[in-house]
Amino acid sequence: MTLYYVISAVLTLVLTALNLRHLIPVLKSKKMGQKILDIGPRWHKSKEGTPTMGGIAFLFSVMLTSLFFMKSYPQIIPILFMTVGFGFVGFLDDYIKVVRKHSEGLNPKQKMAAQFVITAIFCFYMMKYSGGGTVIHIPFLHTDWDMGWLYIPMVFLVVLGTDNGVNFTDGLDGLCTSVTIIVATFFTVVAMTTVSEIVPITGAVVGALLGFLLFNVYPAQ
C-alpha cells in the first residue's frame, strides 16, 4: 500500500508540474487573469491578472492517476466523484469570472445548490453501494455506530463544511494548497492504518498539490 502511495504521489506531482509549465503561458496569452473584488486590502489588487483556472492541471492529474488504480481499488470511486464534482463547480466559477468578466463568479445560491446536489449523490452512493450503509467507525473507541437517518445530515455537514472551509482558506499565495497537503497526508496515514484502500487517490492529491505549489508559492504564477 505504501508503494502505491509513492507511485500515485510522484506520478501526479510530475504530471501537474508539466501541465502547469505549458498551461500558464496559454492562460496568460488568453488573458485569463484573476479578477479581484473591490472589497479587501488595496495591496491585494496587485494580484489582479494572475492566471486563474490553474486547478485544471492538478485535477486532471488526480483524475488520470485515479483512473489507473480504479479497477483494483473501486473504493476511490465516490471520492473521485466528489473531487471532480467540486472541481467542476470551481471551474464554472472561474470561467464566469474570466470569460464573463464578473468578479463574483457563481453567486452563493448557485454554489450551494451545486454543492448540495454533489453531496446528495455521494451520500446516496455511500448508503446504498459502499457496503457500509449508515454505519461509521468511531476512532480510538474501536467501535461502530449505526447512525440511521442521522447519517445524512452528518455527511452534509462534514462534506459541505470541508468544501467551504477550503474556499474560505484560499486567497493568499500557497496558503490553501499547503494546508490541504497536510490534510490529505493525514487522510493517507489513516487510510494506510485502516486498510480502507483509498491510498491511491489520497496520495494522488498530495502529489498533485505539491506540483501545484511549485507555481503557487509567493509570488504565485
Side-chain angles (χ1 to χ4, degrees):
M1 188 63 70
T2 303
L3 177 61
Y4 289 146
Y5 166 71
V6 174
I7 292 174
S8 62
V10 172
L11 182 60
T12 51
L13 190 158
V14 174
L15 285 174
T16 302
L18 291 175
N19 287 340
L20 283 172
R21 184 172 293 276
H22 293 87
L23 180 62
I24 290 175
V26 173
L27 294 175
K28 287 183 177 179
S29 67
K30 299 295 183 180
K31 299 186 184 301
M32 292 186 174
Q34 178 69 49
K35 299 296 180 181
I36 304 299
L37 292 170
D38 292 330
I39 60 175
R42 291 185 177 182
W43 62 266
H44 212 211
K45 293 289 288 185
S46 64
K47 292 172 59 66
E48 188 158 283
T50 302
T52 187
M53 302 177 75
I56 296 174
F58 67 76
L59 184 63
F60 173 78
S61 301
V62 171
M63 287 175 55
L64 191 63
T65 303
S66 297
L67 290 174
F68 178 78
F69 286 99
M70 186 178 293
K71 184 176 181 180
S72 300
Y73 296 91
Q75 292 85 349
I76 70 177
I77 293 176
I79 302 174
L80 180 61
F81 167 77
M82 279 209 302
T83 303
V84 174
F86 287 124
F88 182 70
V89 174
F91 170 80
L92 285 179
D93 190 40
D94 284 341
Y95 179 84
I96 293 173
K97 290 177 182 177
V98 174
V99 178
R100 300 289 296 277
K101 307 300 181 183
H102 195 297
S103 60
E104 184 184 11
L106 291 172
N107 64 51
K109 290 183 179 180
Q110 292 171 330
K111 286 182 182 179
M112 188 59 68
Q115 293 170 1
F116 260 83
V117 171
I118 295 168
T119 305
I121 296 173
F122 170 77
C123 184
F124 177 79
Y125 181 94
M126 293 301 294
M127 292 174 65
K128 296 295 183 180
Y129 301 106
S130 69
T134 57
V135 177
I136 65 170
H137 180 73
I138 303 177
F140 309 112
L141 297 182
H142 305 292
T143 185
D144 295 330
W145 176 29
D146 189 344
M147 298 188 67
W149 67 269
L150 290 175
Y151 181 84
I152 298 175
M154 184 275 295
V155 170
F156 273 80
L157 178 65
V158 171
V159 173
L160 296 179
T162 301
D163 179 57
N164 287 287
V166 172
N167 291 336
F168 291 142
T169 305
D170 198 8
L172 297 179
D173 297 345
L175 176 60
C176 183
T177 311
S178 57
V179 171
T180 308
I181 288 173
I182 296 173
V183 175
T185 301
F186 167 77
F187 279 121
T188 300
V189 173
V190 172
M192 287 180 176
T193 57
T194 59
V195 197
S196 59
E197 300 191 347
I198 61 171
V199 166
I201 191 169
T202 57
V205 170
V206 173
L209 289 174
L210 285 172
F212 183 74
L213 191 61
L214 294 174
F215 300 86
N216 193 234
V217 293
Y218 179 83
Q221 299 180 46

